[in-house]
Amino acid sequence: MTKKFYLNRRIWKRRLVGLALLVITVISIFPIATTILVSFKQQADITRKPPVIFPCDTPEQKFDIKACRWSVEGYQRVFAPKPDEGSLFGFKFTGNLLRIYIPNTLMYAFSTAFFVTLLASFSGFAFSRYHFRGHNALMAAIYAVTGVPLLTNILALYQMSITLRKNVGFFDDRMFLVFVYLGFFLPISVWIAKGFFDTIPRELEESALLAGCSTLGALFRITMPLALPGLISVFLLTFVNVWNEFIVAYLLVTKNEYKPAMFGLYDFLSQNIINLQVLAAACIIIAAPIVILFLFARKIFFKAMVEGAVKG
Amino acid sequence: MRSAKPRKPISYHLRKSLPFWLILPTLIVIIIVQVYPALYTIWLSMQARHATGWEYVGTQNFERLFGTGLFPESVGHTVIFLTGYALVTLTLGFVIAILLKQKVPFTGVYITLLFIPWIIADIIAGLIFRLMVTPDYGLFSGILQNPALFPPNGLSILTAARPAPWFGSFPFPPSPAMIYLILAASWRALPFITLLILAALQTVSHEVMESARIDGANLVQLTRYITIPLILPTMVVALFFLMLGGINGVGMVFSLTGGGPGTTTYVISYLLYVIGWGQLRFGRAAALALLIAAVNWLLILSVLRITRINDRSR
């Protein structure tokens, strides 16, 4: 009897924990869910007073699933499709978000993530394998740099960009922005990369060196492939960080055709203060690629996060 | 006749100096983007802009900065923001981590869904929260503007004024917009903190818990005397991460409140933006940036001490 009671209590405890987690998850997803709902409403339902959650009410009934007035007006206004004979589907998207801002963001994020991964793997390898004079001091210095906030350096970088724009002919906002991102996300990536290299046994390299491989050859043929999962997580983390970054681009980019998506979204905010469905649609369009990427590569993200945060 | 001493092959030199060449590009980038701007900011903090160029003004920028009423007010807002942010995030993070550790069915699904807010950009998170309370049209504005619930005129979070302060000029109690900002910021930071605490909880050994349970400790005692002391270092590290993120994060203020209503959500990082790019007083902004950087350095040095990073890298 006693044993059964104990078991029952355990089962109930587990059910309660499951229920609590379910409630917490629903609450934390709620803001996103409402945004998706808003993005599919019509202008007429947006400006109704009092606001309704589902645009499904009729004069007779409070909720009628058949009377729902869903629309893609918000998305239409973001994409702004115009008929065009030459393109594949008979129309092309003329909205700035899809035409300019998102390609820019992709370009910034890819190039920054590529260079960060490359440089971080070089110096992470060096810090992991060699013990030269000043090794620990240099590592600590690089860690200390991660604490310098973007915002304090941005004053000087802003002045730098003004001076360079005046005096250097080939100066390009995009190049400068990628370089600044590179400097901002490199220090923590060096630490994460070093952590990954530390886990690879150096006997593998030593045997390659004994077999006549050069040091660089051992790095590229043996160590890099083994560290690849870790380096991919560095790449993804940087990619997401650049994709989500706003203030640096906002202050450093001057031309409309160089703006990244977050900057473009901020423009949407000032233009569409009443058209909530347009704002919500723009939010969903910009956030969706990153969320989908996260859902597929969850383990890789967690690995880099824990490596960077707990160890670093 | 003795032959000349053979020169060492070039590859030997290369191998000896290889770590230097591997680290050099990283160092160059960090020096240009991080070290030089830091030094420039120090120089800039002692200059003022004139028609002809920069002029040395000594500590005048700092004096002017402290002289404005906005600076102490913003510091007060930042203190309130950080306190609320850390309290909400650490408490909820601890509770959720404990729940996740019980390994009930679908824990993996819950973790995945709970982490979506972390991956969403701060500017989008701010917008999402703004959409919910936009005056008149937001989803919650019907409830919030109900005079029966929030007398006398009903409350609109983004425009309601701050109540009269209780302690002199310290901005407490905060405005509704500030409370909402804290909630929105916590919503976004919570997953990261939960993961940190969960990772620490996994290291609490099962034997210790089991032996305490056999000795008759109940759940509250287990938590109070075993779990919390063992994960306290992680909690402190999490607290510092929150402080760093909270002091420097500005995107959410931009998209959620824009500093308003009035100046009631001016945190110190937003003030830096306003002085620098709103008023174009770069010298004074640099003085403020130095103060923020000093606080950051103190926090980072504390993290270094706590995690004893120098021992680990050896």
Side-chain angles (χ1 to χ4, degrees):
Chain A
M1 265 322 265
T2 343
K3 200 178 175 196
K4 203 177 168 196
F5 173 71
Y6 177 69
L7 264 178
N8 269 337
R9 229 180 69 176
R10 281 200 80 140
I11 290 169
W12 271 108
K13 203 188 115 197
R14 284 169 71 81
R15 280 188 188 159
L16 271 180
V17 169
L19 186 71
L21 276 176
L22 185 67
V23 171
I24 290 169
T25 310
V26 168
I27 292 174
S28 84
I29 293 300
F30 181 76
I32 301 170
T34 59
T35 311
I36 295 175
L37 278 179
V38 168
S39 76
F40 283 109
K41 283 187 191 172
Q42 298 170 356
Q43 183 73 42
D45 285 314
I46 294 283
T47 48
R48 276 242 311 264
K49 273 196 199 180
V52 284
I53 299 179
F54 297 100
C56 296
D57 55 331
T58 54
E60 294 84 43
Q61 251 180 309
K62 217 146 184 182
F63 185 83
D64 183 1
I65 195 88
K66 277 178 235 146
C68 280
R69 298 176 296 275
W70 301 116
S71 89
V72 289
E73 192 191 323
Y75 292 90
Q76 253 175 5
R77 283 170 69 170
V78 173
F79 287 136
K82 292 257 166 65
D84 179 48
E85 305 270 304
S87 57
L88 190 58
F89 300 106
F91 60 86
K92 65 175 180 184
F93 298 121
T94 56
N96 277 348
L97 192 71
L98 213 67
R99 202 166 49 86
I100 303 175
Y101 302 148
I102 287 184
N104 277 345
T105 295
L106 274 175
M107 196 267 284
Y108 295 142
F110 264 116
S111 39
T112 310
F114 174 76
F115 285 117
V116 163
T117 313
L118 191 72
L119 294 189
S121 60
F122 283 167
S123 40
F125 175 80
F127 278 123
S128 165
R129 291 297 188 262
Y130 295 91
H131 285 261
F132 43 88
R133 209 188 304 155
H135 172 276
N136 288 347
L138 206 56
M139 275 308 277
I142 288 180
Y143 186 74
V145 162
T146 61
V148 180
L150 286 147
L151 204 64
T152 48
N153 277 350
I154 198 76
L155 276 167
L157 291 166
Y158 179 76
Q159 300 286 347
M160 236 161 110
S161 77
I162 291 177
T163 319
L164 287 174
R165 198 173 293 130
K166 259 190 222 153
N167 300 325
V168 181
F170 60 89
F171 178 80
D172 188 354
D173 280 1
R174 294 173 290 184
M175 233 162 61
F176 191 66
L177 189 64
V178 168
F179 195 75
V180 169
Y181 282 149
L182 180 60
F184 277 127
F185 297 120
L186 195 51
I188 192 70
S189 305
V190 169
W191 267 89
I192 298 175
K194 182 198 173 266
F196 285 129
F197 280 119
D198 281 344
T199 61
I200 297 168
R202 50 190 342 181
E203 284 77 17
L204 291 172
E205 275 160 56
E206 276 160 14
S207 61
L209 289 176
L210 279 179
C213 196
S214 68
T215 320
L216 272 179
L219 169 61
F220 279 110
R221 294 203 183 123
I222 311 285
T223 321
M224 284 285 200
L226 284 171
L228 201 62
L231 295 182
I232 287 175
S233 66
V234 171
F235 183 92
L236 283 182
L237 206 65
T238 315
F239 186 88
V240 170
N241 276 335
V242 174
W243 184 288
N244 286 350
E245 206 286 327
F246 165 70
I247 188 81
V248 175
Y250 180 65
L251 295 175
L252 290 185
V253 173
T254 48
K255 286 197 185 119
N256 193 40
E257 54 265 42
Y258 295 161
K259 282 179 188 173
M262 290 300 153
F263 194 168
L265 185 69
Y266 192 67
D267 284 354
F268 264 81
L269 176 63
S270 45
Q271 289 157 15
N272 295 290
I273 207 79
I274 290 298
N275 309 325
L276 300 190
Q277 81 280 31
V278 184
L279 271 181
C283 280
I284 302 287
I285 291 164
I286 296 175
I290 290 296
V291 172
I292 291 167
L293 184 71
F294 170 74
L295 292 181
F296 278 106
R298 177 167 67 93
K299 292 240 164 71
I300 300 177
F301 277 106
F302 287 171
K303 209 161 114 189
M305 265 169 80
V306 172
E307 188 74 32
V310 179
K311 273 196 181 169
Chain B
M1 193 182 141
R2 257 177 59 190
S3 62
K5 199 177 169 190
R7 287 176 61 122
K8 284 177 183 169
I10 194 160
S11 66
Y12 175 81
H13 285 285
L14 194 66
R15 201 178 301 158
K16 272 289 252 194
S17 61
L18 184 66
F20 173 74
W21 294 112
L22 287 176
I23 295 170
L24 188 67
T26 304
L27 284 185
I28 291 176
V29 170
I30 289 178
I31 285 170
I32 295 178
V33 180
Q34 301 264 25
V35 179
Y36 169 74
L39 298 176
Y40 184 88
T41 309
I42 295 175
W43 175 82
L44 192 64
S45 70
M46 291 177 282
Q47 308 286 320
R49 187 94 177 132
H50 283 278
T52 49
W54 297 99
E55 190 201 11
Y56 178 79
V57 292
T59 57
Q60 216 179 62
N61 281 324
F62 288 93
E63 285 158 21
R64 290 257 171 86
L65 180 70
F66 297 140
T68 55
L70 211 48
F71 175 72
E73 195 192 334
S74 301
V75 172
H77 290 149
T78 311
V79 169
I80 288 174
F81 174 79
L82 288 179
T83 313
Y85 184 53
L87 271 180
V88 172
T89 318
L90 286 180
T91 317
L92 285 179
F94 182 68
V95 170
I96 296 174
I98 292 239
L99 289 176
L100 285 174
K101 208 198 157 215
Q102 309 300 318
K103 296 226 163 53
V104 293
F106 307 117
T107 299
V109 179
Y110 290 137
I111 290 184
T112 308
L113 290 176
L114 280 173
F115 272 83
I116 290 178
W118 172 73
I119 208 85
I120 286 180
D122 50 0
I123 197 121
I124 291 185
L127 260 179
I128 285 176
F129 274 80
R130 189 190 175 115
L131 286 177
M132 293 198 293
V133 297
T134 305
D136 294 341
Y137 307 131
L139 205 55
F140 290 121
S141 57
I143 305 165
L144 291 172
Q145 288 175 317
N146 188 343
L149 291 174
F150 297 100
N153 298 323
L155 171 89
S156 174
I157 283 187
L158 296 177
T159 53
R162 191 173 63 209
W166 294 351
F167 315 106
S169 61
F170 188 71
F172 187 87
S175 65
M178 175 58 94
I179 296 170
Y180 196 60
L181 180 69
I182 290 171
L183 282 181
S186 307
W187 177 76
R188 199 173 160 263
L190 192 55
F192 179 67
I193 301 302
T194 309
L195 187 78
L196 273 186
I197 298 175
L198 186 61
L201 280 178
Q202 309 287 18
T203 64
V204 174
S205 89
H206 198 69
E207 285 78 22
V208 176
M209 295 294 267
E210 205 56 47
S211 67
R213 199 172 290 142
I214 288 166
D215 287 345
N218 61 28
L219 191 65
V220 176
Q221 284 170 324
L222 279 178
T223 310
R224 166 70 186 81
Y225 293 106
I226 299 199
T227 313
I228 289 183
L230 280 174
I231 66 160
L232 201 61
T234 307
M235 293 288 258
V236 175
V237 171
L239 177 70
F240 282 119
F241 275 114
L242 282 174
M243 293 285 159
L244 278 172
I247 291 174
N248 303 322
V250 73
M252 205 169 259
V253 184
F254 258 90
S255 62
L256 182 58
T257 66
T263 57
T264 55
T265 50
Y266 269 54
V267 287
I268 201 140
S269 49
Y270 193 75
L271 182 71
L272 174 65
Y273 166 77
V274 169
I275 294 181
W277 284 270
Q279 309 174 347
L280 293 174
R281 290 185 170 127
F282 283 100
R284 211 181 285 179
L288 181 57
L290 280 189
L291 292 179
I292 298 177
V295 176
N296 272 288
W297 271 88
L298 279 179
L299 286 170
I300 276 286
L301 288 179
S302 320
V303 178
L304 277 171
R305 271 201 79 105
I306 288 166
T307 53
R308 283 199 296 279
I309 218 146
N310 290 317
D311 296 348
R312 288 191 190 194
S313 65
R314 214 159 267 150

